[in-house]
Amino acid sequence: MNQSHPTFPPYSVSDAMREVPVTVIKYGDDLDQVLEFYGESNPAKATLVLIHGGYWRNLFDREHMRPLAVSLAKEGFTVVLPEFRRVAGEPEVTLRDLAFAISTLEDQAITLIGYSSGGHLALLLADKFPTVKKVIGLAPVTDLIESQERELGRGAVREWLGRDALDRPELDPLRRPPISSKTIFIHGDLDERVPLELTEKYVAAMKSYGQEIVLEILPGTSHFEMMNIPSPTYTALLRAIN
């Protein structure tokens, strides 16, 4: 399986500011404890919180989701792009940062949009906040045990957990009950980083609890093509948001 890392075009906050209003707010002392707000406030629409991927490592940060944040802000949404600490062997650090960041948002409807491992984090955090009404997973990581067995992300699961995935079932979406929020997944059938069959397995498992998850499969789409704009993914994402 090809798991080579792509090169995303550089896209800074300054680049984004040329397109839409951007505000940057710190929520802690660490460089990675920051929130970027895109667009104008719009109480009539849900606030979109984008949780980036990168298999819980520092190799990637929020930069690869800035073009998506800008595009969604142009659609009239308030978009929040959080950064958070990623420490090998300390998953609670990541979850605490994201939970605190989300808790600082105004008391209005929130849609969590998570890409890859960001989708995994969205599934873990959604039920902590009654304001989260919808979760959209873009090729989300949903099964830690099988992801570990397949060595997806070059051993990323064990590295992030600091132990075997069997020892942390509470952090494995497949081993947890369904979340209460409406859930929609978008996944390419050529995904080489998060195989589609793992997402299908999660959807089937949640159906056994009585929860129907909408899964839109994109033909001819690989993992990193999920971030292309324009693209079938972006079109599907707009449908899912609305």
Side-chain angles (χ1 to χ4, degrees):
M1 180 178 292
N2 179 12
Q3 294 193 19
S4 60
H5 297 300
T7 301
F8 290 107
Y11 199 87
S12 67
V13 169
S14 297
D15 294 327
M17 286 179 172
R18 297 187 186 100
E19 303 287 334
V20 297
V22 182
T23 303
V24 180
I25 297 176
K26 294 283 294 179
Y27 66 87
D29 295 330
D30 194 273
L31 289 175
D32 283 335
Q33 292 176 308
V34 63
L35 292 168
E36 296 177 2
F37 291 80
Y38 293 76
E40 304 288 354
S41 177
N42 188 350
K45 292 186 175 183
T47 296
L48 308 181
V49 178
L50 308 186
I51 305 178
H52 71 75
Y55 266 124
W56 314 283
R57 292 187 176 119
N58 288 307
L59 181 63
F60 295 115
D61 61 13
R62 64 197 180 281
E63 183 175 32
H64 71 269
M65 291 194 86
R66 282 184 183 135
L68 177 59
V70 168
S71 294
L72 292 172
K74 288 180 177 180
E75 302 282 351
F77 294 97
T78 302
V79 183
V80 184
L81 182 53
E83 192 55 270
F84 44 91
R85 291 173 292 173
R86 287 137 287 153
V87 181
E90 298 185 44
E92 283 76 17
V93 170
T94 295
L95 292 167
R96 280 199 305 268
D97 275 6
L98 269 174
F100 183 77
I102 294 170
S103 74
T104 67
L105 302 180
E106 293 183 2
D107 188 18
Q108 64 185 77
I110 292 173
T111 294
L112 297 182
I113 302 173
Y115 170 49
S116 193
S117 58
H120 163 264
L121 296 171
L123 289 170
L124 293 187
L125 291 167
D127 278 348
K128 294 182 179 297
F129 303 95
T131 51
V132 174
K133 306 301 182 183
K134 185 183 293 185
V135 171
I136 302 173
L138 305 176
V141 176
T142 56
D143 183 344
L144 293 191
I145 290 177
E146 189 165 350
S147 295
Q148 176 182 275
E149 290 173 351
R150 296 191 186 200
E151 287 289 310
L152 299 181
R154 297 173 179 171
V157 172
R158 183 183 287 273
E159 179 183 311
W160 183 61
L161 295 177
R163 62 184 68 186
D164 194 285
L166 286 168
D167 297 331
R168 298 303 305 267
E170 76 280 10
L171 300 183
D172 193 339
L174 188 64
R175 275 85 202 169
R176 292 161 56 102
I179 61 173
S180 59
S181 305
K182 181 177 181 179
T183 307
I184 301 171
F185 290 161
I186 302 168
H187 210 129
D189 66 354
L190 297 183
D191 197 312
E192 74 287 3
R193 299 276 292 181
V194 182
L196 173 60
E197 59 263 31
L198 298 191
T199 295
E200 292 174 323
K201 178 181 175 183
Y202 177 84
V203 170
M206 295 305 106
K207 188 174 183 179
S208 70
Y209 283 97
Q211 187 200 45
E212 294 286 342
I213 295 175
V214 176
L215 171 59
E216 181 163 354
I217 299 173
L218 303 178
T221 302
S222 67
H223 191 71
F224 295 111
E225 288 176 325
M226 301 287 286
M227 288 295 98
N228 290 349
I229 304 170
S231 69
T233 305
Y234 185 67
T235 302
L237 176 58
L238 290 179
R239 285 196 298 270
I241 290 170
N242 294 312

